[in-house]
Amino acid sequence: MSSTANTFGADLEFLKKHQKPLVLTAPDDDSAQVAVVGALQGRVMTSTANGASGNSYGWLNYKLLESGKFTPHMSAFGGEDRFWIGPEGGQFSIYFQQGKQFVFDDWQVPAVIDSEPFEVVSSDKSKAAFRKTASLTNYSGTKFDIVIDRSVEALSKVEVETAINFPLKDVKTVAYETVNTITNQGADWKKESGLLSIWILGMFNPTPKTTVVVPFVGGADHKTQINDSYFGKVPAERLIIEDSVLYFKADGKHRSKIGLPPSIAKPVMGSYDAEKGVLTIVSYDLDPTGDYVNSMWEIQKEPFKGDAANSYNDGPVEDGT
């Protein structure tokens, strides 16, 4: 199956064979639909603005979903919006056990956000709520007893227009909001022994004509604060950085990633697919002076000076897979 060619209806039928998706619809438009799977941590798998025959916006790993199996290190099922936890690397990482090296062979996504289901607390036409109780231990040995609450709600067109402050006449739209919280059920959290962060990941279908657009706060040295060296420096033809906006190629053909610190990030980013005329907008809560965990795979000098926003373009790894 081709993830770029499928309709929402085809993807929904596929998901029904292998999962139990909840389909949420906008209060004012039954053609704006969102498919959510509680067994996969309440993640939004895909959505459409035009019913069963419309584009399916989420990237799905058909082969893995069909297998019904979990894979070592991480089970990359896909999905437009999923709950994740940080930090990934460093002395407070929850992806590396104490004493292990910061290399892929020792990297493991915690089961609570990879293979364990979330409980469906409630659901109706437009909203579903999920909960999960979990315990995690970080690289430094600190244990966290937590309750995760997550809700997904399909929004009306009026709510979307209000959120983006722009009229949407003659535009087919689907939008949803996820609200995610972690509640501490154990000992007090301290910076000295590590903290957890909520981290939302989205996987969308790449095309040769998709460009990620990220506005940022301009300034004399602000361009230098953009991290484009996660997987080796991003080639110049794939990343254009202007005074207050960057353009990042999202074709799924070259593994690369960029990140912005909270001091220059803005609470919005998006992409445009010129092939299908699809505009994707992601907005999120941002504290420009707040602490954000550092996820670099190393013992860190500044574990709370991480990025607030990232964009990742996938591509083949060294062996071509």
Side-chain angles (χ1 to χ4, degrees):
M1 299 174 83
S2 167
S3 62
T4 55
N6 278 0
T7 62
F8 178 79
D11 275 350
L12 186 59
E13 287 307 307
F14 175 85
L15 286 171
K16 285 178 179 177
K17 289 179 182 177
H18 307 289
Q19 296 290 336
K20 294 180 180 178
L22 295 170
V23 179
L24 309 179
T25 57
D28 57 347
D29 182 4
D30 285 345
S31 64
Q33 301 181 22
V34 183
V36 188
V37 174
L40 296 178
Q41 303 82 48
R43 79 179 75 189
V44 175
M45 294 303 295
T46 188
S47 65
T48 186
N50 203 24
S53 63
N55 288 316
S56 182
Y57 300 127
W59 181 84
L60 305 183
N61 189 333
Y62 299 108
K63 189 175 180 181
L64 187 58
L65 285 162
E66 202 166 27
S67 76
K69 296 177 181 177
F70 301 106
T71 52
H73 305 294
M74 169 186 166
S75 301
F77 291 111
E80 280 185 43
D81 183 300
R82 72 183 191 270
F83 180 89
W84 218 237
I85 301 176
E88 184 176 355
Q91 55 269 47
F92 303 137
S93 168
I94 55 167
Y95 296 72
F96 293 93
Q97 292 181 6
Q98 196 167 28
K100 297 286 188 179
Q101 297 183 63
F102 294 114
V103 295
F104 181 75
D105 284 349
D106 289 340
W107 177 76
Q108 177 62 53
V109 176
V112 63
I113 53 173
D114 184 62
S115 57
E116 295 181 359
F118 281 19
E119 174 194 356
V120 181
V121 177
S122 63
S123 67
D124 56 30
K125 176 187 175 182
S126 300
K127 185 175 182 179
F130 307 90
R131 178 167 292 165
K132 181 69 176 177
T133 300
S135 292
L136 295 164
T137 301
N138 72 12
Y139 187 88
S140 296
T142 302
K143 186 183 178 188
F144 299 92
D145 295 309
I146 59 174
V147 173
I148 300 162
D149 283 288
R150 170 175 167 83
S151 66
V152 183
E153 182 173 9
L155 304 179
S156 68
K157 184 166 276 193
V158 172
E159 288 174 300
V160 180
E161 290 177 326
T162 302
I164 66 174
N165 193 27
F166 194 84
L168 293 170
K169 187 180 179 183
D170 300 325
V171 177
K172 295 294 293 183
T173 307
V174 61
Y176 52 87
E177 178 181 50
T178 72
V179 177
N180 305 272
T181 62
I182 293 175
T183 304
N184 178 22
Q185 300 288 294
D188 290 348
W189 293 11
K190 299 176 182 177
K191 272 189 168 183
E192 297 75 24
S193 51
L195 304 174
L196 300 178
S197 72
I198 293 173
W199 185 9
I200 303 299
L201 273 69
M203 300 176 81
F204 298 89
N205 290 311
T207 74
K209 294 186 178 179
T210 298
T211 303
V212 169
V213 183
V214 185
F216 60 90
V217 178
D221 66 340
H222 285 192
K223 287 184 186 180
T224 63
Q225 296 183 50
I226 296 168
N227 184 352
D228 67 342
S229 300
Y230 279 93
F231 300 101
K233 197 158 182 67
V234 181
E237 68 272 15
R238 290 183 161 273
L239 178 63
I240 298 170
I241 303 176
E242 296 185 348
D243 289 340
S244 58
V245 64
L246 66 81
Y247 303 93
F248 181 46
K249 195 170 183 65
D251 59 358
K253 294 180 179 177
H254 182 86
R255 194 170 185 235
S256 48
K257 182 177 177 180
I258 52 122
L260 285 76
S263 57
I264 67 166
K266 290 189 174 182
V268 65
M269 60 197 301
S271 68
Y272 183 66
D273 174 2
E275 198 171 273
K276 291 187 175 181
V278 175
L279 174 67
T280 301
I281 299 173
V282 177
S283 64
Y284 61 97
D285 295 329
L286 175 71
D287 180 354
T289 60
D291 290 320
Y292 285 77
V293 297
N294 185 343
S295 281
M296 297 296 284
W297 288 17
E298 61 191 17
I299 298 297
Q300 303 155 357
K301 292 181 180 177
E302 296 184 297
F304 300 105
K305 295 292 183 185
D307 292 328
N310 298 100
S311 181
Y312 171 74
N313 182 53
D314 205 10
V317 292
E318 288 179 3
D319 66 0
T321 56

